[in-house]
Amino acid sequence: MNLLTQNAKMKKTSKENNAKIFNFSIPAYKTKDGKITCPFADSCVKYCYAQKGNYTRFPKIQELMEEKYKISKTNNFILLMNEEIKKKKATHVRIHDSGDFYSPTYLQKWLDIATQNNDVIFYAYTKSIKFFVNGLLLPKNLKIIFSEGSKTDNLIDVNKHRHARIFKSKELLEVSGYIDASSNDLKAITDNKRVGLVYH
């Protein structure tokens, strides 16, 4: 199966940036059998983009994400992902356009993958902030964006950490000094660490 895919936003962003951007998805919030994939999700569950649209309307997509979750728990995950990255000739990989780092062990797999593919840029929005703020050393090619709406928002230093905030309009986003990553996904990893997204 294709571990890395492209949704419409990834395709658009790839074209605009002359890049090959792929995303890795697992089920949003929890699997069919109740395994939590977003352990620190809080208020965000109410407006989670990944729980609506194609993710819920098409059972096949749900099945594929369930299978990817199962693969992510295996010892072969790193090897399989390395092979997929090379096969797709990816320049960028967005980890989780659905789901999150559900455990420190799983996060470590992605740290290893990034380290072993240092010519590829990896990035992820995450509410698993607790896993990152205790001196965890990240590969230089892995960019993490703390996403507001978690149970541990108090750990986000908005003056220091790259973070994402949801806004009701583009005007509110801009007046607050955030960069709009609503349509161009790579805006999330520019020098401006205040990443804004317009709720839709």
Side-chain angles (χ1 to χ4, degrees):
M1 67 180 303
N2 289 318
L3 290 178
L4 295 176
T5 56
Q6 283 185 313
N7 60 28
K9 187 176 181 180
M10 295 301 108
K11 290 178 181 177
K12 180 177 181 293
T13 303
S14 291
K15 186 175 182 179
E16 290 178 357
N17 293 274
N18 192 28
K20 291 187 176 181
I21 309 166
F22 293 89
N23 48 275
F24 178 75
S25 310
I26 58 177
Y29 188 53
K30 62 182 178 181
T31 64
K32 286 183 178 179
D33 59 357
K35 298 288 194 312
I36 300 297
T37 60
C38 300
F40 298 97
D42 191 21
S43 61
C44 59
V45 175
K46 300 174 186 176
Y47 54 80
C48 178
Y49 172 76
Q51 291 195 86
K52 48 184 192 175
N54 293 343
Y55 294 95
T56 55
R57 286 184 306 186
F58 299 106
K60 183 64 176 176
I61 292 178
Q62 287 183 319
E63 290 173 16
L64 289 172
M65 288 195 293
E66 292 279 339
E67 187 61 29
K68 289 178 185 180
Y69 169 75
K70 292 175 184 176
I71 292 171
S72 76
K73 297 181 76 67
T74 69
N75 293 331
N76 288 331
F77 180 64
I78 295 173
L79 175 62
L80 292 172
M81 186 56 67
N82 286 344
E83 291 175 347
E84 181 84 346
I85 289 167
K86 287 177 174 58
K87 182 177 72 174
K88 295 286 177 63
K89 296 180 180 179
T91 60
H92 298 74
V93 173
R94 174 171 169 176
I95 309 168
H96 309 135
D97 67 329
S98 175
D100 206 340
F101 298 107
Y102 54 77
S103 72
T105 299
Y106 173 56
L107 169 58
Q108 184 59 53
K109 290 180 181 180
W110 278 109
L111 297 182
D112 292 344
I113 291 166
T115 300
Q116 293 170 30
N117 295 274
N118 58 14
D119 57 336
V120 178
I121 300 297
F122 296 80
Y123 64 106
Y125 291 86
T126 185
K127 292 181 172 64
S128 297
I129 302 160
K130 195 173 182 179
F131 296 162
F132 292 88
V133 294
N134 294 319
L136 179 68
L137 293 177
L138 300 179
K140 291 182 179 179
N141 58 324
L142 174 59
K143 312 295 182 183
I144 296 297
I145 308 110
F146 292 160
S147 186
E148 292 182 345
S150 77
K151 296 173 183 175
T152 55
D153 277 3
N154 62 297
L155 297 176
I156 302 174
D157 181 343
V158 297
N159 295 312
K160 173 185 175 183
H161 297 137
R162 187 183 302 277
H163 67 283
R165 180 172 293 176
I166 303 293
F167 291 88
K168 292 182 179 179
S169 70
K170 184 178 177 67
E171 290 73 26
L172 282 174
L173 182 156
E174 291 177 345
V175 77
S176 299
Y178 283 69
I179 190 167
D180 187 2
S182 302
S183 60
N184 186 330
D185 213 50
L186 291 190
K187 291 286 181 68
I189 55 174
T190 63
D191 290 339
N192 188 343
K193 293 183 178 181
R194 294 172 179 257
V195 181
L197 298 163
V198 179
Y199 177 72
H200 61 285

